[in-house]
Amino acid sequence: MDLEQAIYGRRATRAYTHEAIDPPLLEAVIDAAIQAPSAMDGQPWGFCILRNPALLDRISDEAKALMLRSPSPDLALHRFEEMLGNPDFHIFYHAPVLILICATKDSPWSQIDCTLAAQNLMLSAYGKGLGSCWIGFAQSWLETDEGRAALGLPSGWRPVAPIIVGHPGGVEPVPLREKPEVLWRE
Ligand SMILES: Cc1cc2nc3c(=O)[nH]c(=O)nc-3n(C[C@H](O)[C@H](O)[C@H](O)COP(=O)(O)O)c2cc1C
């Protein structure tokens, strides 16, 4: 796929079919992820792949409950209270796979590096006919001791980017971009 087509065509995908994704396809999007640049070529990323529907359901339930119990004031979660309180709302939209990109090195740049890897991963998934969406709703719970234990994360791994991946189940709306402020300096 043409690069511009991928950049302009990728969407946050919130509906998925139940079709499983073959491991080689997941390995291929991870390989694309690690082509991202990283500070001092540190490559401080690790990938945890979850495909167990029962575990994904549990994380969805636990993450919603945690956000309702202790909403972070920074996140303006009150906007989502009704959604989070709805037992039918699944934060992973029943996607078959969650790839959690984790920072594996204690560097000031590792989160940024992982974020660059995340964008590569999402564009690569799109290029391969898959949908993806970063799920910030999962973040807080994945950082808890309980969340880390559920995933068996090594002690040095810090969750950065929880990204669902799957075969798209519909057509997503295209949110228009606001005109950015651009300062031209001579
Ligand atoms: C850090 C981050 C966290 C996000 N968290 C969620 C989320 O929890 N749930 C969700 O449905 N979408 C989430 N998104 C997707 C955004 O809502 C989406 O990218 C945005 O609306 C623009 O749509 P587009 O990706 O189709 O251009 C997140 C995106 C980012 C970058």
Side-chain angles (χ1 to χ4, degrees), residues 48 50 55-68 75 77 80 83-84 89-93 97-102 133-148 150-151 153 158-164:
C48 180
L50 304 186
L55 180 54
L56 293 173
D57 291 350
R58 179 182 160 210
I59 298 173
S60 176
D61 289 343
E62 301 265 20
K64 288 194 297 178
L66 177 62
M67 282 184 283
L68 288 171
L75 292 180
L77 280 174
F80 301 107
M83 190 190 249
L84 294 171
F89 173 65
H90 198 282
I91 67 165
F92 301 130
Y93 307 103
V97 178
L98 172 69
I99 301 178
L100 176 63
I101 306 180
C102 294
C133 187
W134 184 315
I135 302 297
F137 278 161
Q139 183 79 29
S140 298
W141 191 77
L142 292 172
E143 285 172 355
T144 63
D145 290 345
E146 209 186 342
R148 300 181 57 87
L151 271 59
L153 291 184
R158 275 180 301 141
V160 175
I163 297 175
I164 49 172

Side-chain angles (χ1 to χ4, degrees), residues 19-100:
E19 198 183 334
I21 307 181
D22 292 334
L25 202 45
L26 293 174
E27 282 161 10
V29 296
I30 289 173
D31 195 56
I34 65 167
Q35 305 312 312
S38 60
M40 294 174 288
D41 200 22
Q43 304 180 37
W45 37 56
F47 301 81
C48 180
I49 302 174
L50 304 186
R51 293 177 297 167
N52 177 341
L55 180 54
L56 293 173
D57 291 350
R58 179 182 160 210
I59 298 173
S60 176
D61 289 343
E62 301 265 20
K64 288 194 297 178
L66 177 62
M67 282 184 283
L68 288 171
R69 236 180 13 250
S70 47
S72 157
D74 306 336
L75 292 180
L77 280 174
H78 53 272
R79 288 197 292 145
F80 301 107
E81 238 166 49
E82 200 181 329
M83 190 190 249
L84 294 171
N86 178 353
D88 293 331
F89 173 65
H90 198 282
I91 67 165
F92 301 130
Y93 307 103
H94 301 286
V97 178
L98 172 69
I99 301 178
L100 176 63

